[in-house]
Amino acid sequence: VLDATIVNIALPQIQQALGFSTTSLSWVLNAYTLTFGGLLLLGGRAGDILGRRRVFIAGILVFTLASFVGGLATSSGWLLAARALQGVGAAIAAPTALSLITTNFAEGGERNRAFGVFSAVAVSGGAIGLIAGGMLTSWLSWRWVLFVNVPIGILLAVLAPLYITESERQPGRFDLGGALTSTAGMTALVYGFIRAAQEGWSDPVTVASFAAAVVLLAVFFSIETRIRQPITPLHMFRERDRAGSYVIMLALAAAMFGQFFFLTLFVQDVLGYSPLRAGIAFLPITGAIVLTSQLAARSLPRVGPKRLMTAGALLAASGLAWLSQVSVTSGYLDGILGPMLLFGLGMGLLFVPLTIVAVSGVAPQEAGAASSLLNVTQQVGGSLGLSILVTVFGTASRNEATTQVGQLLANASSELQAQFQQTGQLPAQYAHQVLAHGISTAFQLAAVFAALALVVALVVIRTRPSEVEVPTMYDT
């Protein structure tokens, strides 16, 4: 959790150091989330078959090695390869974490306390990442947002055998074909959108990427419908409420990833915040999510998931619609704090009921697959949504840049005009206008994603309060 926010804060510095364009910068996030989401279910299966402690340690070591290699990156391709490898390590380690708690702590109060600590650490990780990312980037270098994982990973790998008992191995088979075709297909789809933002929709590589995505995803669905032990249990989508929760998570993740990506650029590149100040500026979102997620957990048996999801999606959509009004003259207090809080309050209301509905009514042996699939939809939705928003941002920015060039040549001083003709780059005030316009346009589409989640919550979700059983981990 920390790694997601700590890297986000460093994005403008990474862009400057390694020569990313604003649209290609999204790959720093997508390279990680695509491999993480694509291989997550395979990582869970590996823990069952090979032993969860062994797989957990292997995943931590892969993640640690990738973090070290990424911190040494001297080119954009090098960093993206390391980020993709980080995603592989996370996909191996993450699914086994909750399973290890289940197998290492006795049912009842001891296990409930363990789940409570796990939840508290997960929530605090996001906030710590914002501050730590700002401190490391401001005081040392963006490279330390990756290097910081190395001592933590080594410590985990050394201590895990001393404190964690190995689980019994379960018989099973690996669906490598399904995992690889789904990951490759989603990567091709995301690449197609980002390529379209840079080169246009008629570009041959753009068209080829979309064609490859269609073929690979068709092969993936063919494999999953025929194989005996599929990596993605498609029958999970047959139950109306569960399928609805997956769609809501997909749409909200698309909006959420885009919001953090573009706001990070706005506060640092337009408002001129340092990385540390930017990290502190995002803390109210974390506080809002913590506040309403606790409220949602306590009120879920009485209110029911449908009302919480509806209220949460409405707040999130309203916050994003408000953010779409951001401009080059907007400040932090009068421009983004209010909508950020509104969005955070909405997301907090959504996480708990989405998780509960996703796992309600499934057989005990499939509970892990149901919850993991929700995580997969979050990662895939975030990657796909961010790529679509980047495409919209790129188109809007190009159009606004043309307008700003015209205004520069018509109204600016001869000194600024000469500077532009010499360098080919817009002066700061014009460049900031282009960036702000592209970001506000992207937020308009993000609001549409959240509105889609609202429609699904209203139309699809039917679970009643009496049908919901809140797990003890949320009571804790």
Side-chain angles (χ1 to χ4, degrees):
V1 175
L2 178 147
D3 197 70
T5 53
I6 200 171
V7 171
N8 222 42
I9 290 297
L11 285 175
Q13 289 69 38
I14 292 172
Q15 179 181 14
Q16 187 176 9
L18 300 182
F20 283 97
S21 67
T22 304
T23 50
S24 64
L25 185 65
S26 62
W27 277 109
V28 177
L29 303 181
N30 282 338
Y32 176 80
T33 55
L34 281 169
T35 51
F36 181 30
L39 301 177
L40 188 64
L41 292 171
L42 188 66
R45 181 72 55 81
D48 294 337
I49 297 173
L50 302 176
R52 290 168 187 152
R53 186 182 71 180
R54 181 181 292 106
V55 170
F56 175 75
I57 294 173
I60 291 296
L61 289 175
V62 170
F63 186 88
T64 302
L65 174 64
S67 298
F68 179 72
V69 171
L72 299 174
T74 57
S75 68
S76 57
W78 182 340
L79 178 62
L80 295 183
R83 288 288 287 165
L85 187 61
Q86 271 191 312
V88 174
I92 296 171
T96 58
L98 284 172
S99 301
L100 284 168
I101 290 176
T102 303
T103 55
N104 279 266
F105 293 91
E107 187 174 0
E110 186 181 5
R111 187 181 296 175
N112 290 345
R113 284 193 298 275
F115 275 129
V117 171
F118 183 89
S119 301
V121 168
V123 170
S124 61
I128 293 171
L130 292 171
I131 301 300
M135 292 169 62
L136 291 170
T137 305
S138 294
W139 298 345
L140 296 172
S141 161
W142 65 265
R143 298 180 184 278
W144 282 92
V145 304
L146 297 169
F147 285 147
V148 72
N149 294 323
V150 176
I152 299 171
I154 293 173
L155 186 66
L156 277 171
V158 170
L159 295 181
L162 302 178
Y163 292 96
I164 299 175
T165 57
E166 184 59 280
S167 63
E168 288 186 23
R169 298 189 186 188
Q170 305 294 327
R173 307 173 91 180
F174 292 111
D175 178 16
L176 289 175
L180 293 177
T181 52
S182 64
T183 304
M186 287 305 303
T187 301
L189 187 60
V190 167
Y191 181 79
F193 279 113
I194 295 177
R195 178 79 181 188
Q198 296 171 321
E199 305 295 337
W201 292 96
S202 59
D203 174 66
V205 178
T206 302
V207 175
S209 296
F210 284 125
V214 171
V215 172
L216 286 166
L217 293 175
V219 172
F220 162 70
F221 283 111
S222 176
I223 292 172
E224 298 307 279
T225 54
R226 291 185 300 170
I227 198 169
R228 205 169 157 190
Q229 292 183 324
I231 193 67
T232 305
L234 296 178
H235 67 273
M236 291 286 182
F237 292 92
R238 292 175 190 157
E239 203 277 319
R240 178 185 179 126
D241 284 347
R242 188 176 304 113
S245 70
Y246 291 150
V247 173
I248 292 171
M249 179 60 82
L250 192 80
L252 288 170
M256 183 171 65
F257 278 49
Q259 189 226 34
F260 279 109
F261 177 79
F262 289 114
L263 276 182
T264 298
L265 297 181
F266 184 83
V267 297
Q268 293 191 56
D269 291 346
V270 177
L271 297 185
Y273 282 19
S274 67
L276 178 56
R277 191 178 178 189
I280 295 172
F282 286 132
L283 283 178
I285 296 183
T286 304
I289 291 175
V290 171
L291 178 67
T292 49
S293 62
Q294 293 297 314
L295 175 65
R298 292 191 180 96
S299 60
L300 186 61
R302 184 179 70 258
V303 177
K306 183 183 180 77
R307 291 178 181 174
L308 288 173
M309 289 183 194
T310 301
L314 180 60
L315 287 173
S318 300
L320 290 166
W322 190 356
L323 274 175
S324 70
Q325 305 304 307
V326 73
S327 70
V328 73
T329 59
S330 299
Y332 177 73
L333 292 177
D334 64 342
I336 62 175
L337 177 59
M340 277 199 314
L341 284 172
L342 206 58
F343 181 81
L345 292 171
M347 293 304 293
L349 289 177
L350 283 153
F351 285 133
V352 173
L354 282 173
T355 304
I356 301 303
V357 171
V359 300
S360 292
V362 299
Q365 64 270 22
E366 290 191 322
S371 58
S372 295
L373 200 54
L374 185 69
N375 201 341
V376 169
T377 57
Q378 180 181 352
Q379 302 301 323
V380 170
S383 299
L384 186 57
L386 179 56
S387 66
I388 294 171
L389 292 174
V390 162
T391 304
V392 172
F393 166 85
T395 302
S397 296
R398 279 198 304 272
N399 294 337
E400 182 64 17
T402 302
T403 302
Q404 291 301 313
V405 167
Q407 292 185 2
L408 171 67
L409 295 177
N411 304 320
S413 66
S414 57
E415 183 182 346
L416 283 178
Q417 291 182 16
Q419 178 187 339
F420 169 67
Q421 290 168 349
Q422 223 174 18
T423 63
Q425 294 182 337
L426 285 168
Q429 62 267 39
Y430 293 91
H432 289 168
Q433 174 61 38
V434 171
L435 183 62
H437 177 76
I439 288 173
S440 67
T441 306
F443 280 140
Q444 291 175 16
L445 182 58
V448 173
F449 289 153
L452 172 62
L454 174 61
V455 171
V456 174
L458 286 169
V459 175
V460 177
I461 303 299
R462 290 182 174 178
T463 304
R464 298 176 181 176
S466 59
E467 299 171 342
V468 173
E469 182 180 348
V470 182
T472 51
M473 65 178 286
Y474 286 110
D475 293 339
T476 307

